[in-house]
Amino acid sequence: MKALVLSGGAGTRLRPITHTSAKQLVPVANKPVLFYGLESIAAAGIREVGIIVAPDTAEEIRAAVGDGSRFGLVVTYIPQHAPLGLAHAVLIAREFLGDDDFVMYLGDNFIVGGITDLVEEFRATRPAARILLTKVPDPRAFGVAELDVDGRVARLEEKPANPRSDLALVGVYLFTPAVHQAVRSIEPSARGELEITDALQWLIDEHRTVTSTVVSGYWKDTGNVADMLEVNRSVLELLSPCNEGTVDTATEIIGRVRIGGGATVRGSRIVGPVIIGAGTVVENSYIGPSTSIAENCRVTDSEIEYSIVLSGSSLHGVGRVEASLIGRNVEITPAPPIPAAHRLVLGDHSKVQISA
């Protein structure tokens, strides 16, 4: 069995971070989201992985993943000149996939608990395809599945205006080689893409078996800042505390906190779960729960909570910062003082309240 990992896409919902970095490499708990997927694939006993890469971020992905040996994988890179749909990714990976079964994994998705059980069940039963589903409050942004009375997949639709169910497709799919005929048989959708939902529907219409599993664990598409912060929180909840840096006696550490090698913490209060990267300096500051600070950062006289700070950034003299995603080599300082004044043009009989 092989794996096909999709690491293209522009990451528009994570801009401006993704103006200069691939969305799959934005870190969660100081490790790129993509790496969690590769580790899950390796843990499932899969060794050969094809990674779909886009022109703008291919070199960055290659530099981060390399030949895959650090994950116990053998990686082949497959260029996709434009984001033409998930089914298009299967189409262009035909030579790599051959006649093997494979799992297709979206590189910016996150599943707690991995995919080992799903892969083992698929190997044992070998339907034409197996999809993962999860209930979402607004299915219109996803591929949506409709199940029949026996729980079998009866219909799939991509981003429907009027969803027939609240079951959205999770970004992990398992296929036999039957999918290759399906992706060759469909036409581009109204948005100009070859939709994997259309390929799955083709299999259903051809009376091929498409089964599903409703994900009971934790799944997130890390395509926007809110979801990225929530995934970061969930990963940090599993953090094992460790101190490889230097912490002075004036510092208070509460809960699960991991401090990287060469990091220094002085006169601060750290309330976990928190991870502080190697070489980072924290002085006279408060670091609150669900915060990841990457390597070689500096936080002085500041407060930050429920946030992600990428490498080389600094916060100095800043009041409360929360629910924030801060990119690489960012400098955050207080705004210069300016005279306080109110300029008003008020009509007759107005009533105005101004805070002091």
Side-chain angles (χ1 to χ4, degrees):
M1 193 169 187
K2 294 176 180 175
L4 184 65
V5 177
L6 276 59
S7 293
T12 54
R13 292 177 296 161
L14 277 175
R15 288 175 180 168
I17 299 294
T18 49
H19 279 311
T20 54
S21 181
K23 64 178 179 177
Q24 297 83 7
L25 296 181
V26 177
V28 166
N30 288 0
K31 182 165 66 176
V33 172
L34 175 61
F35 288 12
Y36 291 96
L38 294 175
E39 289 169 354
S40 292
I41 288 165
I46 298 170
R47 293 293 171 260
E48 293 184 69
V49 178
I51 300 183
I52 301 288
V53 290
D56 293 344
T57 56
E59 289 308 311
E60 188 183 14
I61 298 288
R62 287 175 184 266
V65 177
D67 62 2
S69 57
R70 64 183 292 187
F71 306 100
L73 302 171
V74 177
V75 169
T76 299
Y77 293 96
I78 304 167
Q80 185 182 37
H81 69 276
L84 298 176
L86 304 189
H88 180 260
V90 175
L91 197 64
I92 64 174
R94 183 69 176 91
E95 182 178 351
F96 165 76
L97 294 169
D99 292 325
D100 293 309
D101 294 351
F102 67 98
V103 55
M104 184 168 73
Y105 198 116
L106 273 58
D108 60 353
N109 275 225
F110 187 90
I111 298 178
V112 171
I115 60 171
T116 299
D117 291 344
L118 297 164
V119 168
E120 289 179 353
E121 184 178 356
F122 180 79
R123 281 172 164 154
T125 57
R126 293 196 76 240
R130 188 171 192 86
I131 59 175
L132 275 64
L133 304 172
T134 190
K135 292 187 176 183
V136 295
D138 184 4
R140 292 175 297 176
F142 301 91
V144 176
E146 182 182 359
L147 306 183
D148 64 19
V149 292
D150 297 318
R152 293 173 298 203
V153 182
R155 179 183 170 87
L156 295 127
E157 193 173 4
E158 186 66 27
K159 296 180 174 62
N162 300 296
R164 294 169 178 262
S165 82
D166 60 354
L167 292 172
L169 274 73
V170 173
V172 177
Y173 308 79
L174 300 107
F175 294 112
T176 65
V179 73
H180 296 301
Q181 185 179 358
V183 298
R184 291 194 305 269
S185 302
I186 61 175
E187 297 293 330
S189 65
R191 58 182 190 155
E193 297 188 8
L194 290 176
E195 311 287 2
I196 200 65
T197 44
D198 290 342
L200 289 162
Q201 187 63 50
W202 187 92
L203 290 171
I204 293 169
D205 293 342
E206 293 294 314
H207 308 291
R208 307 301 295 269
T209 304
V210 176
T211 59
S212 66
T213 298
V214 176
V215 176
S216 57
Y218 186 87
W219 165 79
K220 277 288 184 183
D221 169 1
T222 60
N224 60 51
V225 173
D227 286 343
M228 182 69 70
L229 293 173
E230 181 60 18
V231 170
N232 188 64
R233 182 201 63 77
S234 72
V235 174
L236 289 177
E237 288 294 336
L238 305 175
L239 188 72
S240 299
C242 177
N243 179 14
E244 298 177 346
T246 302
V247 179
D248 72 358
T249 56
T251 292
E252 182 181 18
I253 302 251
I254 300 171
R256 296 183 301 282
V257 175
R258 177 173 291 180
I259 300 172
T264 302
V265 183
R266 293 188 286 262
S268 298
R269 188 168 190 258
I270 317 294
V271 180
V274 165
I275 185 167
I276 297 172
T280 286
V281 175
V282 178
E283 292 182 305
N284 305 319
S285 295
Y286 166 76
I287 312 295
S290 304
T291 301
S292 296
I293 300 176
E295 68 278 3
N296 302 317
C297 293
R298 190 171 189 92
V299 182
T300 58
D301 302 310
S302 300
E303 298 183 4
I304 185 166
E305 181 171 311
Y306 192 62
S307 294
I308 298 172
V309 181
L310 305 192
S311 62
S313 291
S314 64
L315 294 86
H316 175 70
V318 180
R320 191 74 160 197
V321 173
E322 61 182 33
S324 299
L325 174 57
I326 298 168
R328 296 173 178 83
N329 303 310
V330 171
E331 295 182 10
I332 303 176
T333 57
I338 58 174
H342 302 285
R343 184 177 180 180
L344 308 172
V345 177
L346 301 175
D348 297 345
H349 310 296
S350 296
K351 292 183 180 180
V352 178
Q353 293 181 330
I354 298 176
S355 59

